[in-house]
Amino acid sequence: MASSTSHQGHDAADGIVRPRPLKPGNPGVLRAQVENGNHRAALGKLDMPASGMSSGRSTPLPPDAPPSAVSISSARKQIRAQQKHRLFPTIDYAARLSHFDPKSEYRDFRGFFVLFWIGLAIMVLTTMLRNIKDTGFPFRVGVWALLTERVWQLALTDGVMIASTAVSLPLHRMFRNSNKWLWWEKGGMPVQSIYQALWLVLWINWPFMLGWTWTAQVFFTLHTITMLMKMHSYAFYNGHLSTTEHRLSALDDPMNAKMSTAAAVRYPKSSTNLTELDANKEKKIHQDDADALAELREDLALELTSPLGQVTYPQNLTLYNYADYVLCPTLCYELEYPRTERTQYLELFWKTLAVFGCIFLLTITSEEFIVPVLHDASLRLNNISSLSETLLILSESISLLLFPFMVTFLLVFLVIFEYVLGAFAEITCFADRHFYSDWWNSCDWLEFSREWNIPVHHFLRRHVYGASRPYMSRNMSTLITFLLSALGHELVMGCITKKLRGYGFLAQMLQLPIVALQRTKAVRGKKLFNNICFWISMILGLSVVRFPLLEKDAMESMLMNYRCAHYMYLYRSLFSIPAA
């Protein structure tokens, strides 16, 4: 056609329509053309002389052309097709899912995390302006005074409590080097257990003897239980290694008739699957079987060596090793942990700053949105007598507390599992920072317990379920784990209310029938429905938990129940239940 062969400079008076001179290219169009491979159009090389342009046709191949020539011709046609000039960039349409689709693999929602913090900043700014308008001061100080009362006495006592756990180190050295009657498997384990029981009784009663505030009592009790789990894991794992060492030494004397020929007992790791614990059966080895004894000796030596192969028992029995374990954000002792190359001090600074920022936000939320609602409800309850008005006031107060308690719950989760544990991981160069999983997608309470607090879940699975499994059935081991967790809940509830009422124990044990119902065939596969039920129970539970604690004195009752609801999520973080 004339339009493809005429030059732009020819006269158009002969009636032939010719192309107009090209305008400067649109940067957006050129960028799209470059992305689509149309480099010639993007570089402005379309108006080259006609003698240098291809006619768009190729010489037809003869029928007997070799395959190589056919391939070359096909490749040239594909390249020419890709370089055709288009006035508008093409859009590639494909079968894709939206980000929020349940089947989507997209998992990066960090922007919502940023939005969460921006929303909290707006809340704090609005609260400050309202307080300045009403009182002339930006903040209220009631909760601050409660948190700072006897804070130095609390810090000193907490340090002494932590230091007292180190008694397990000289005790274990004594068990290892003593006569056989005090070895771990004989007299050592009872002695350690008695010390742990006396230690727990002392430090649980200590805040009551000193008359601390309920906030200090709850913090100290939670930290005491945490250190008890750490001490227990250190003592019992090293006790197992001590027994393994004695068995390995006994194999050096083939004539020893009392030599144990049972298979090597492998202590369950924090990541050991429960099915592996169930399948762990002991087997006997004949003393005359040299190959079997050599394999047993190798298995015992392997059990005494760390997974990374750099530390072997008893090289770990040092004060430095114990202090490092106390600082590491884990409850399960190992001979060695994976480490990062160095401490990132800037990251440590930001995490430390975030800890104090979360505490500040928690205080603001409690002072501005929780305590006033409880105080107002308590005054109104004192002036009414009808049941309908009482239920109306309670329902109204619950509705006003739903969002503040939910924000408090999320802030406590962040300050513990993201910032406090992350800061200690940075200090100790602890590399495994998988402290939680996507618990927000949980469909039942067992799944939530596994993913909300992975360190405690590992401890219960290793030292409670795994330790009891060789001696009792699977169901009984699961029940023992639930009972221990329920007793922990009731212990912390008792520290707040000053009474053992059984509410925490009952609420924990009621999870068993609820989980059984959630795992029935009619409900089990409905993930969206189960997740909705989980969040409804989570949000409502933080407010409704105060109902069983109502007393005659409404003001005292409301504030007491606020304390229980305020720390309900902390109970969960300390006593998660492993799936069985």
Side-chain angles (χ1 to χ4, degrees):
M1 295 178 62
S3 60
S4 61
T5 57
S6 299
H7 195 269
Q8 295 177 7
H10 288 180
D11 191 279
D14 53 2
I16 300 175
V17 181
R18 292 175 173 82
R20 298 177 182 178
L22 295 177
K23 296 181 180 180
N26 188 320
V29 175
L30 295 180
R31 182 168 59 253
Q33 291 172 348
V34 171
E35 295 175 355
N36 292 333
N38 199 346
H39 302 284
R40 295 185 62 199
L43 296 175
K45 296 181 180 180
L46 292 176
D47 55 345
M48 59 189 305
S51 60
M53 295 179 64
S54 172
S55 64
R57 301 176 181 176
S58 59
T59 304
L61 295 176
D64 57 347
S68 59
V70 175
S71 300
I72 293 175
S73 176
S74 177
R76 292 176 56 136
K77 291 180 180 180
Q78 292 179 8
I79 294 176
R80 284 197 298 269
Q82 293 175 359
Q83 293 181 349
K84 287 183 179 180
H85 172 61
R86 301 180 66 91
L87 293 179
F88 293 92
T90 59
I91 298 177
D92 295 329
Y93 290 97
R96 289 181 286 234
L97 299 174
S98 64
H99 287 340
F100 289 104
D101 192 283
K103 299 180 181 178
S104 175
E105 296 182 356
Y106 189 81
R107 297 293 184 269
D108 187 6
F109 296 102
R110 187 167 183 82
F112 285 97
F113 183 73
V114 176
L115 179 62
F116 171 76
W117 285 109
I118 292 176
L120 291 180
I122 295 174
M123 180 195 74
V124 171
L125 180 61
T126 305
T127 301
M128 291 174 59
L129 295 177
R130 185 176 65 251
N131 286 336
I132 291 175
K133 176 184 175 181
D134 296 339
T135 65
F137 298 95
F139 301 110
R140 305 175 191 265
V141 296
V143 175
W144 285 110
L146 188 66
L147 293 176
T148 56
E149 184 177 347
R150 300 188 185 182
V151 63
W152 292 110
Q153 188 181 67
L154 172 63
L156 180 62
T157 305
D158 194 60
V160 175
M161 182 268 295
I162 295 174
S164 63
T165 63
V167 176
S168 299
L169 176 60
L171 281 179
H172 182 75
R173 287 178 174 175
M174 180 181 66
F175 301 152
R176 176 176 174 268
N177 299 322
S178 65
N179 296 326
K180 293 184 178 181
W181 66 271
L182 203 54
W183 281 3
W184 175 258
E185 62 272 23
K186 295 183 179 180
M189 185 184 300
V191 172
Q192 178 68 33
S193 300
I194 293 173
Y195 173 73
Q196 290 182 182
L198 296 176
W199 182 92
L200 180 63
V201 171
L202 170 64
W203 293 116
I204 288 296
N205 286 280
W206 191 262
F208 295 95
M209 292 187 294
L210 297 182
W212 287 353
T213 61
W214 68 270
T215 52
Q217 288 179 349
V218 169
F219 167 79
F220 189 78
T221 301
L222 295 175
H223 201 195
T224 298
I225 297 175
T226 301
M227 295 308 301
L228 175 67
M229 290 188 285
K230 272 184 168 287
M231 178 171 58
H232 178 88
S233 182
Y234 179 86
F236 277 71
Y237 183 52
N238 278 299
H240 160 74
L241 295 180
S242 176
T243 302
T244 303
E245 183 190 32
H246 292 153
R247 290 189 58 193
L248 181 61
S249 301
L251 292 178
D252 294 337
D253 185 9
M255 305 304 296
N256 187 359
K258 297 182 179 180
M259 176 182 62
S260 175
T261 57
V265 178
R266 298 197 176 279
Y267 209 78
K269 306 298 181 184
S270 60
S271 58
T272 303
N273 193 283
L274 296 182
T275 56
E276 298 179 15
L277 296 175
D278 297 338
N280 186 18
K281 304 294 183 181
E282 291 190 359
K283 58 181 180 179
K284 294 289 184 178
I285 299 176
H286 198 274
Q287 294 187 9
D288 297 333
D289 192 342
D291 294 337
L293 289 177
E295 182 180 358
L296 175 60
R297 185 179 288 107
E298 183 178 352
D299 291 341
L300 294 173
L302 186 64
E303 186 69 11
L304 295 173
T305 307
S306 66
L308 301 180
Q310 298 181 5
V311 179
T312 301
Y313 179 88
Q315 297 175 353
N316 62 307
L317 298 181
T318 62
L319 186 59
Y320 175 82
N321 179 271
Y322 184 79
D324 176 77
Y325 165 63
V326 169
L327 293 176
C328 283
T330 180
L331 299 177
C332 294
Y333 179 76
E334 293 287 350
L335 293 174
E336 189 178 8
Y337 298 104
R339 307 280 182 164
T340 57
E341 293 182 359
R342 58 186 179 85
T343 298
Q344 299 181 8
Y345 291 99
L346 182 60
E347 187 71 17
L348 176 61
F349 168 76
W350 287 118
K351 288 186 180 298
T352 305
L353 184 64
V355 170
F356 290 99
C358 287
I359 295 175
F360 170 75
L361 291 173
L362 284 169
T363 306
I364 293 296
T365 304
S366 302
E367 193 80 67
E368 299 292 336
F369 302 101
I370 297 178
V371 174
V373 174
L374 297 176
H375 179 72
D376 179 68
S378 65
L379 295 179
R380 294 166 62 187
L381 287 174
N382 284 330
N383 299 324
I384 62 174
S385 58
S386 64
L387 179 62
S388 60
E389 292 182 358
T390 301
L391 293 178
L392 180 61
I393 294 175
L394 293 177
S395 300
E396 181 184 3
S397 63
I398 288 176
S399 64
L400 293 175
L401 291 174
L402 292 179
F403 184 74
F405 273 138
M406 197 67 249
V407 171
T408 303
F409 169 78
L410 295 176
L411 286 174
V412 170
F413 164 74
L414 286 173
V415 74
I416 293 177
F417 297 103
E418 184 65 29
Y419 299 129
V420 172
L421 296 185
F424 277 97
E426 204 64 55
I427 293 173
T428 59
C429 297
F430 192 80
D432 188 358
R433 305 183 184 187
H434 185 54
F435 305 124
Y436 59 90
S437 189
D438 56 339
W439 57 266
W440 42 87
N441 296 323
S442 300
C443 294
D444 58 55
W445 286 105
L446 283 183
E447 184 178 357
F448 171 75
S449 300
R450 291 194 304 267
E451 299 175 350
W452 151 265
N453 188 342
I454 291 181
V456 170
H457 168 63
H458 285 168
F459 176 87
L460 293 176
R461 182 175 59 180
R462 182 190 195 187
H463 293 286
V464 181
Y465 182 90
S468 61
R469 186 64 186 89
Y471 307 101
M472 57 188 66
S473 65
R474 180 173 182 174
N475 292 334
M476 185 58 65
S477 298
T478 304
L479 180 61
I480 292 296
T481 307
F482 265 92
L483 287 174
L484 181 63
S485 176
L487 290 175
H489 280 75
E490 185 59 34
L491 175 62
V492 182
M493 291 281 284
C495 291
I496 297 176
T497 62
K498 307 297 190 298
K499 298 177 182 179
L500 296 177
R501 311 187 184 197
Y503 297 138
F505 182 86
L506 179 62
Q508 181 69 23
M509 297 306 295
L510 283 177
Q511 290 185 9
L512 287 174
I514 294 176
V515 171
L517 178 62
Q518 290 176 321
R519 295 194 171 185
T520 58
K521 186 179 296 185
V523 183
R524 181 173 49 197
K526 300 178 180 179
K527 293 185 178 181
L528 179 60
F529 173 78
N530 287 329
N531 186 246
I532 292 174
C533 293
F534 161 76
W535 273 111
I536 291 176
S537 62
M538 175 68 72
I539 296 173
L540 289 177
L542 295 174
S543 299
V544 180
V545 69
R546 61 202 183 95
F547 281 140
L549 302 175
L550 292 176
E551 297 176 352
K552 294 181 180 180
D553 190 345
M555 180 62 187
E556 180 183 357
S557 173
M558 282 291 186
L559 295 179
M560 185 69 70
N561 293 322
Y562 154 66
R563 300 169 187 174
C564 297
H566 191 71
Y567 281 90
M568 191 66 180
Y569 38 76
L570 289 181
Y571 312 158
R572 171 69 57 184
S573 68
L574 275 176
F575 300 102
S576 302
I577 305 299

